[in-house]
Structures are given as structure tokens and as C-alpha cells.
Amino acid sequence: MTIDKAEVIVTSPNRNFVTLKITTSDGVTGLGDATLNGRELAVVSYLRDHVVPLLIGADENRIEDTWQFLYRSAYWRRGPVTMAAIASVDMALWDIKAKKAGMPLYQLLGGASRTGLLAYGHASGTDLPSLFDSVRDHLEQGYRAIRIQTGVPGLNAIYGIASQSAAAGGGDERYDHEPARRGAKPVEEDWDTRAYLRHLPGVFEAVRNEFGPELPLLHDGHHRMTPIQAAKLGKELEPYDLFWLEDCTPAENQEALRLVRQHTTTPLAIGEIFNTVWDFKDIIREQLIDYVRGAVTHMGGISPLKKTLEYAAMYQIKSGMHGPTDISPVGMAAAMHLGLSIHNFGIQEYMKHGERTNQVFQQSFTWQNGLLHPGDAPGLGVELDLDEAGKYPYEQAYLPYNRLADGTVHDW
Ligand code: GCO
Ligand code: MG
């Protein structure tokens, strides 16, 4: 059989999503997530103008060959736009193969290595009381691991504090629990690393005192520290036994992690903005990280992320796949099937999608006792309702960005 049709669907129920839908000549369909937050339409063009014409008439069974062809024949390798586009093809072809086999995808990937996936949610607050409320709310929802972000005294709006994104819309109108906001220009936030470093250890001390020693706690530094600042923070957080400190330094400077590692035993996670195994190669081999944060959607698909995680396994490094709401339900399903099947699963990020998103994407995953499971429907277990998707046309939206008090642009 061959690929008959490949459609690129853009929809914005609670936020923008780009989905590739492949249909084979025997009428089987597969979905792939190609969402690149804030730069969505670049991937739409890459797919529609350059990839879809190459897929028509191709053999849908040849997943690895198709991946290699799209990656190598472009000549211009890597980069988020290219790799999100290739990822969507890879996911859709795995979806089709598993549907044809009549199995949930995790069975084709080797079968389940566990009963479910430990997932963490995002607690946040502008101050300690609101942070504690948010942690309690997450515990009530069943989360067994929690990311902690708080406001910093003196700073108005900073990364990861939900109340600000909620303030952008409120209710179901909000931009889906996540900092990107609809609008023609990115919103400006402020930043002061010294104020943050003074504040954060006290926050973790308070959270540990309130919630005890067992709860796995995570924190995202969002690329904002210099190497020596990250080293200092990692060291100061050691008494609070973090599950991980994420993106402590800018992702481009991999040598930074050597310096951080020399100073702290706080586990490190990195890679949500990485695109290929080459971005992970050295930091895995040198054992500079503990968790691979790659997303199926941004790493070129299930095939390359599985290879990267198998390589990581040789160094006892585990998965910590990216799962904010800008990973669509299709990308999340792909992460769940992969996570369930590999041996070195660590944790899965899980931010719940909004109601309208769940109507556009019909999903079969389950969330019970703090564990995710992709479900047992054949394929990825996600179907796209085209009529629902059509109700929500694309709307321009951007992630915010940071400036320091003197006006200098800073990593967000
Ligand atoms: C995370 C991330 C996200 C990103 C977002 C950007 O750890 O979940 O840092 O919140 O900011 O995915 O598109
Ligand atoms: Mg992050």
C-alpha cells in the first residue's frame, strides 16, 4: 500500500496545534504532532510545501527509511522546524503501523515495561501560601511528583507562575495553563537572577517542611543562570533532595554542565529545546545529566528519541520527556507509548489540556493514582475530530520574553 493523502491541520482550541494526518490507499489514517510553540506556521509551510509532496505514493511501512530520507535528503539538517516536521511523519507512520497490527503502539515498541508512568504536574504561586494551595490541589488531583515554581519578591511577572497565564484570559478562555499568550507581540517579563537565587532555597525549605521528605519535587531554571550561578543553586538545593533541577543553564553551552556537575549532586535534566541525538551525545557520554528532556515532537519523532534513550540507558540516564500543553495530545500519546516500553523511563511531565482541546483530540489514555497509561486502542490511540478542529482557526500567539531592570534582553 502507499500514502494517498497527507493533510496539515491547524487548530487553536485552547492553544495552537499543528497536526499531520496521513491516509493510506487502504484507508488507514495516522496522526503526528508538529506543533512548535510560537513558530507554528513555519512548520506548516515546511510540511505543506516540502514534505507532503514527497510522501504521496511512498510506502507507509518504511518508517526508518522515510525518516532517513527526509533527514538526509534535505541536506540542511536539524533545527526545530525541520525536526518537528519530520517528527510528525514518524509519529503518523508508527500510528498507522500499529493500527494495521491491531495493537497499541507500545506493544510494537517491545511491550510494557511497567504498569503506568509516574507523571509530574506544575504547582506554582506568587507567594508561599498560594504555592502551598497549588501543591495541595495537585496532590488532590492525584499527582505524586510536583514541579515547584514561585514568584520572586520584587519581580512582577516571571516564568512558570500559573496565575499570570490565567490572568491572560481566565476560565476556559485562558491560553491553556502555559505562558504563551495570544497577541501580535510577545509579552515582556522581568528577571533578576540574584534575587531569584536568594529566594529559591527558602522556598524549597518551606515546601519540604510543609509536605515532608518523600514527595518528589522538581524545579525548572529555564536556561536563566550562568554556569557558576547554577552550580551555586544546585549546591544550595541539596538539602531538599530535588528529583531534578531542569535547564539550569542555556542549552547551547553544554560545557556549562561540566562546571555545574563539579559542584553539586542535585540531579540535572536538560533537552526540551534539543532536536537530535547529537545535542545529547556528549552530555550523555560524559554523564553530565541524569534525565533526557527531549520531546517526541521536537526530537524528530519516536524513532530517534528511542535511539537517544537507549544510548542514555548505557549511562544509567533516564527519560524525562517534555509534556507541557504545547505538546499536543498526539505528541503526548507518542511519549506515553515510548515511556511505557523503554526500560530507563524516569518521569513524564503532564500538564492537562483544556476542555476544547480534548474535544478536538479524542484520546484513550488513562490517569489513575498518579500514573499515566496510553490505553489499549490500536495505534497511538488519538483521533482528530475535523469538524471540532475547524471551529478554532489559528491565532497568533507568542511566548513571553525577559528583560533585566536595565533593559537588557535575558533568557526567558
Ligand atoms: C516545561 C517547559 C515549558 C516551555 C514551553 C515552551 O518544562 O514544561 O519549560 O513550559 O516553556 O514548552 O514552549
Ligand atoms: Mg522546562
Side-chain angles (χ1 to χ4, degrees):
M1 299 297 153
T2 55
I3 295 173
D4 246 18
K5 210 157 64 166
E7 300 153 273
V8 185
I9 297 135
V10 184
T11 182
S12 193
N14 298 91
R15 51 161 309 109
N16 291 315
F17 292 114
V18 179
T19 311
L20 178 70
K21 180 179 179 185
I22 292 181
T23 308
T24 64
S25 49
D26 53 350
V28 181
T29 59
L31 297 178
D33 178 22
T35 308
L36 185 61
N37 202 2
R39 297 292 185 272
E40 296 89 355
L41 299 185
V43 191
V44 173
S45 161
Y46 193 105
L47 281 168
R48 279 193 185 141
D49 298 334
H50 302 290
V51 173
V52 166
L54 305 178
L55 293 177
I56 306 303
D59 179 354
E60 78 276 10
N61 295 306
R62 301 179 65 183
I63 301 176
E64 180 66 19
D65 181 72
T66 304
W67 193 94
Q68 298 294 344
F69 165 66
L70 292 175
Y71 182 75
R72 291 171 199 282
S73 70
Y75 186 65
W76 309 106
R77 297 177 186 185
R78 310 162 67 173
V81 176
T82 298
M83 299 312 285
I86 297 178
S88 66
V89 178
D90 185 80
M91 271 180 248
L93 295 185
W94 276 114
D95 192 16
I96 289 169
K97 196 178 276 296
K99 278 182 181 171
K100 287 194 175 190
M103 294 176 185
L105 177 61
Y106 72 83
Q107 293 291 7
L108 277 191
L109 298 177
S113 289
R114 56 195 54 76
T115 52
L117 307 168
L118 176 68
Y120 74 91
H122 292 195
S124 69
T126 47
D127 52 19
L128 282 181
S130 58
L131 173 65
F132 287 2
D133 286 348
S134 174
V135 173
R136 278 189 206 102
D137 178 54
H138 280 78
L139 292 172
E140 276 160 27
Q141 289 177 50
Y143 282 102
R144 290 195 207 157
I146 297 183
R147 190 184 87 164
I148 300 290
Q149 308 288 140
T150 57
V152 173
L155 297 182
N156 291 325
I158 64 165
Y159 166 80
I161 312 301
S163 56
Q164 290 146 23
S165 47
D172 202 36
E173 293 303 313
R174 79 190 189 287
Y175 201 68
D176 221 356
H177 291 296
E178 198 259 344
R181 263 157 269 182
R182 299 187 200 270
K185 297 242 171 87
V187 170
E188 188 178 303
E189 296 186 345
D190 38 41
W191 185 244
D192 176 343
T193 312
R194 293 188 68 231
Y196 162 76
L197 291 176
R198 279 195 305 274
H199 184 64
L200 196 68
V203 170
F204 273 90
E205 184 184 15
V207 172
R208 274 289 174 229
N209 288 340
E210 182 74 13
F211 296 98
E214 280 173 34
L215 181 65
L217 298 177
L218 303 85
H219 179 72
D220 191 348
H222 230 241
H223 324 276
R224 290 167 300 187
M225 284 165 273
T226 64
I228 203 69
Q229 288 169 337
K232 178 175 153 68
L233 180 66
K235 208 162 144 179
E236 286 179 1
L237 291 178
E238 278 172 23
Y240 315 114
D241 190 25
L242 264 63
F243 186 94
W244 78 34
L245 173 61
E246 174 188 348
D247 286 343
C248 59
T249 46
E252 303 94 314
N253 178 10
Q254 302 207 334
E255 287 168 49
L257 296 171
R258 263 185 224 136
L259 190 145
V260 179
R261 260 313 203 218
Q262 280 158 13
H263 292 278
T264 180
T265 55
T266 292
L268 302 177
I270 207 161
E272 68 183 41
I273 67 166
F274 288 178
N275 309 130
T276 71
V277 67
W278 304 103
D279 298 327
F280 279 108
K281 179 175 70 76
D282 296 344
I283 57 176
I284 288 176
R285 200 190 61 242
E286 289 188 45
Q287 305 184 87
L288 300 181
I289 57 169
D290 301 279
Y291 295 93
V292 165
R293 283 285 285 148
V296 176
T297 309
H298 301 129
M299 280 284 291
I302 294 161
S303 308
L305 186 52
K306 181 169 163 60
K307 292 175 195 171
T308 306
L309 291 170
E310 279 162 3
Y311 174 51
M314 292 197 269
Y315 297 92
Q316 292 75 54
I317 295 169
K318 295 186 175 186
S319 72
M321 283 179 257
H322 195 211
T325 51
D326 47 298
I327 303 296
S328 88
V330 180
M332 281 302 291
M336 289 185 225
H337 285 279
L338 184 55
L340 198 69
S341 62
I342 56 172
H343 177 249
N344 58 329
F345 171 79
I347 200 165
Q348 175 63 53
E349 183 179 24
Y350 173 46
M351 287 175 83
K352 295 176 178 173
H353 284 115
E355 200 43 49
R356 291 196 296 260
T357 299
N358 292 333
Q359 276 157 16
V360 171
F361 296 93
Q362 289 142 17
Q363 300 154 65
S364 39
F365 78 94
T366 57
W367 162 246
Q368 270 165 3
N369 306 320
L371 301 182
L372 288 166
H373 189 286
D376 283 307
L380 286 170
V382 184
E383 294 302 329
L384 181 72
D385 183 329
L386 280 175
D387 293 334
E388 278 296 312
K391 289 185 190 167
Y392 309 110
Y394 171 80
E395 283 184 50
Q396 187 84 61
Y398 284 107
L399 286 161
Y401 78 109
N402 273 341
R403 281 189 193 274
L404 305 180
D406 70 357
T408 308
V409 172
H410 187 79
D411 288 325
W412 170 70

